[in-house]
Amino acid sequence: EGRSRGKADATALIGCRVSDGLLFELGVWEQPDGPAGEDWTPPVAEIEAAVADTFKRFDVVGFYADPAAKWSGRIDVWEGRYSSKLRVRGSVANHPMYWWMSGRRGAAVADAINRLYEAIVDKRVRHLGERKLTNHVLNARRRHGPQGVQIHKEHPDSLNKIDAAVAAVLAFQARQDALSKGDIVTGK
């Protein structure tokens, strides 16, 4: 929910099919421009419904979420509801959905970004051309840092959001973790 020049970060739920790496939007919620966006906050009930629907419609093997921006409480609830269904776990031992995209995890984040970047370049991942996911990926800028390449907005006050690109990195990482387990069938 962070604000930059009055525009909140977007909230994105992106899926990645284990069998072939297809990335797809399950929901991307962005603050509307103009008067409709005044005092906007992410529609929590709608997002909750999208998460519940995702677990009903799909065999979710991993669900990685960055607990930043005041979402940790919601993620904790989702963990209580759905963690028994997950076959891969996030980066925090007692939080199977947490996958921090900031802080001390710079090298792990850079590895995850690089894996998705290489898969895109090698055409081992694809997407459905959905507008918001496409725009967020195109808005993302690669920056070299001490722990590797990170993705950022073009500048901190940019209104061009990248949250769906970040969610795609997390979804692809969950897929890679599932594939590395070796016991998850990719024919579904």
Side-chain angles (χ1 to χ4, degrees):
E1 288 183 52
R3 299 220 181 245
S4 177
R5 284 195 183 186
K7 189 155 186 177
D9 286 344
T11 298
L13 182 59
I14 303 296
C16 186
R17 193 164 55 199
V18 175
S19 63
D20 62 0
L22 176 72
L23 290 164
F24 54 98
E25 289 180 17
L26 293 158
V28 179
W29 297 269
E30 296 178 308
Q31 180 178 359
D33 292 327
E38 289 181 27
D39 299 321
W40 183 87
T41 60
V44 174
E46 186 178 325
I47 295 165
E48 290 280 352
V51 170
D53 185 59
T54 297
F55 277 90
K56 283 180 195 158
R57 291 177 48 210
F58 302 102
D59 177 18
V60 179
V61 299
F63 188 105
Y64 293 173
D66 184 353
K70 301 180 183 176
W71 279 102
S72 59
R74 297 290 357 129
I75 298 167
D76 293 346
V77 171
W78 300 336
E79 287 176 335
R81 267 186 212 143
Y82 306 115
S83 67
S84 65
K85 299 177 182 188
L86 302 177
R87 289 180 261 169
V88 296
R89 306 284 177 174
S91 59
V92 179
N94 51 342
H95 284 288
M97 292 182 175
Y98 278 33
W99 214 97
W100 288 96
M101 290 295 289
S102 60
R104 296 182 201 171
R105 304 202 63 243
V109 171
D111 286 345
I113 291 166
N114 191 55
R115 274 188 208 94
L116 179 55
Y117 175 77
E118 287 177 354
I120 291 168
V121 169
D122 295 342
K123 297 182 171 79
R124 291 181 288 113
V125 67
R126 61 191 182 92
H127 69 98
L128 300 174
E130 294 142 321
R131 183 183 58 79
K132 290 179 183 177
L133 177 57
T134 299
N135 287 344
H136 285 216
V137 170
L138 293 174
N139 290 340
R141 299 293 179 264
R142 294 168 33 112
R143 271 196 216 135
H144 294 274
Q147 296 181 313
V149 173
Q150 305 289 326
I151 57 173
H152 300 274
K153 295 188 292 185
E154 57 196 341
H155 57 80
D157 292 330
S158 176
L159 299 178
N160 297 322
K161 301 303 179 185
I162 67 165
D163 306 279
V166 171
V169 168
L170 293 174
F172 191 73
Q173 181 63 44
R175 175 190 186 249
Q176 295 308 103
D177 290 347
L179 291 174
S180 72
K181 281 187 65 96
D183 65 346
I184 296 174
V185 177
T186 60
K188 287 187 175 183

